[in-house]
Amino acid sequence: MTSTKRDAILNCALTLFEQHGFRATGIDKILAQCGCAKMTLYNHFTSKEELILECVRLHDTRLRQWMIAEIEARAQAPSERLLAVFDVASKIVEQDSFNGCLFARAVSEFNGLQDPIREAAADNKRLLGNYLHSLCEAARLENPTELSRSIHLLLEGAMAYAHVCDERAAPLAAKDTARRLIEQHASAGR
């Protein structure tokens, strides 16, 4: 029962949760897909909820690290990185496997305000917001808190719209709005 088995269970469960949702994916389905015994799973995770929590955290870490690396590879200037966020979002929604935001799904399925799964999902949004705020500050844009919040809301809305309406171009449309906001906050600060 090595950590490699734990990682395999996490990766397998995360894939299933992304495809089918949390509550709709039963332990038996996870066990069958992972090819492990129930005892093995419960030696690593005390409950399905703990497994879900760890999957949400894993997805958060992977997604944010990947997004930031992609953003920083696409642009050097902080204001350009703010726009590159939408290019990266476009890359996400264009994938055949795109099935909406895992964090939004987690909150919809575990909506108690004190639920650790909800908190882990909210952490993703807070940490992404912090990154956007740091880019606004680095670009010396006026009112970085308001601007980063507006850009974050545009991003989240574009991702949701892309999923719900199957409108894969939504992030790039939102990018145009973000560009105008950045220009307004740049000129106001001069």
Side-chain angles (χ1 to χ4, degrees), residues 103 128 131-132 150:
F103 307 108
L128 180 57
Y131 176 69
L132 296 172
S150 295

Side-chain angles (χ1 to χ4, degrees), residues 25-85:
T25 304
I27 290 295
D28 290 338
K29 184 173 190 109
I30 294 168
L31 294 173
Q33 189 74 29
C34 293
C36 73
K38 191 176 278 194
M39 180 176 266
T40 302
L41 186 140
Y42 285 115
N43 281 336
H44 293 285
F45 306 97
T46 59
S47 65
K48 181 181 176 186
E49 286 72 23
E50 182 184 339
L51 175 61
I52 292 169
L53 177 61
E54 291 304 314
C55 284
V56 169
R57 288 176 175 158
L58 176 64
H59 186 64
D60 167 50
T61 300
R62 286 179 179 169
L63 182 62
R64 271 186 308 103
Q65 288 175 350
W66 176 81
M67 283 185 74
I68 290 170
E70 284 286 315
I71 290 163
E72 293 179 359
R74 291 169 184 261
Q76 295 303 310
S79 60
E80 290 301 314
R81 286 181 174 170
L82 284 167
L83 295 174
V85 167

Side-chain angles (χ1 to χ4, degrees), residues 72-173:
E72 293 179 359
R74 291 169 184 261
Q76 295 303 310
S79 60
E80 290 301 314
R81 286 181 174 170
L82 284 167
L83 295 174
V85 167
F86 295 92
D87 297 323
V88 173
S90 180
K91 188 173 179 177
I92 292 169
V93 303
E94 288 171 0
Q95 296 175 3
D96 289 337
S97 62
F98 178 66
N99 197 19
C101 177
L102 185 77
F103 307 108
R105 192 175 318 140
V107 170
S108 72
E109 293 190 39
F110 300 91
N111 57 14
L113 289 177
Q114 302 301 315
D115 193 299
I117 296 168
R118 178 190 173 93
E119 280 299 310
D123 283 346
N124 169 266
K125 302 305 180 188
R126 282 190 282 274
L127 292 168
L128 180 57
N130 292 344
Y131 176 69
L132 296 172
H133 187 267
S134 72
L135 292 176
C136 289
E137 284 185 329
R140 298 184 179 168
L141 298 167
E142 186 177 84
N143 200 346
T145 300
E146 175 189 312
L147 178 58
S148 63
R149 185 170 188 265
S150 295
I151 290 172
H152 197 179
L153 290 171
L154 274 171
L155 175 65
E156 296 295 334
M159 298 290 286
Y161 190 84
H163 176 63
V164 172
C165 298
D166 195 30
E167 180 62 49
R168 304 296 170 119
L172 296 180

Side-chain angles (χ1 to χ4, degrees), residues 6-40:
R6 183 181 191 279
D7 293 343
I9 294 168
L10 269 173
N11 287 318
C12 178
L14 179 55
T15 298
L16 290 170
F17 292 145
E18 287 174 321
Q19 292 171 350
H20 307 291
F22 298 104
R23 296 204 192 273
T25 304
I27 290 295
D28 290 338
K29 184 173 190 109
I30 294 168
L31 294 173
Q33 189 74 29
C34 293
C36 73
K38 191 176 278 194
M39 180 176 266
T40 302

